[in-house]
Amino acid sequence: MKRLIAFLILFIPGAFAAYGIKIMRDMVFGILQPPYPFLWLQFLIGLLITIGGIAFIAGFILHRDRKQNKVQSRFNKL
């Protein structure tokens, strides 16, 4: 059950990151998606969503590895 919950916790930010990449790609090809009024705004929001999703996944993995003492000494909390 714990693995399923952990999978869901990682799946949702991963899906957001994938959506962010998709709307950035659409901006490159000049496809304006309905909720965004400008192409540059669409790219900016996609970039923020992608960075946020990847940062959440990275933080989750770092937190898990810290609990299991699998990180280098420079990544341990002071």
Side-chain angles (χ1 to χ4, degrees):
M1 189 66 182
K2 285 184 178 182
R3 288 182 185 250
L4 179 63
I5 293 170
F7 173 74
L8 289 175
I9 289 173
L10 291 177
F11 177 77
I12 294 170
F16 279 128
Y19 176 71
I21 291 170
K22 180 209 176 294
I23 63 174
M24 286 191 299
R25 183 199 65 199
D26 287 348
M27 189 290 264
V28 170
F29 292 116
I31 302 170
L32 186 63
Q33 296 296 326
Y36 308 107
F38 306 110
L39 284 174
W40 62 268
L41 183 63
Q42 178 176 322
F43 183 83
L44 184 64
I45 292 173
L47 184 65
L48 292 175
I49 291 172
T50 302
I51 290 172
I54 292 171
F56 184 87
I57 292 170
F60 183 86
I61 292 171
L62 180 64
H63 176 72
R64 184 196 63 181
D65 287 348
R66 277 183 181 162
K67 284 180 16 180
Q68 297 174 357
N69 288 330
K70 292 186 177 181
V71 295
Q72 294 179 1
S73 61
R74 67 179 174 165
F75 293 116
N76 285 331
K77 291 183 179 178
L78 298 177

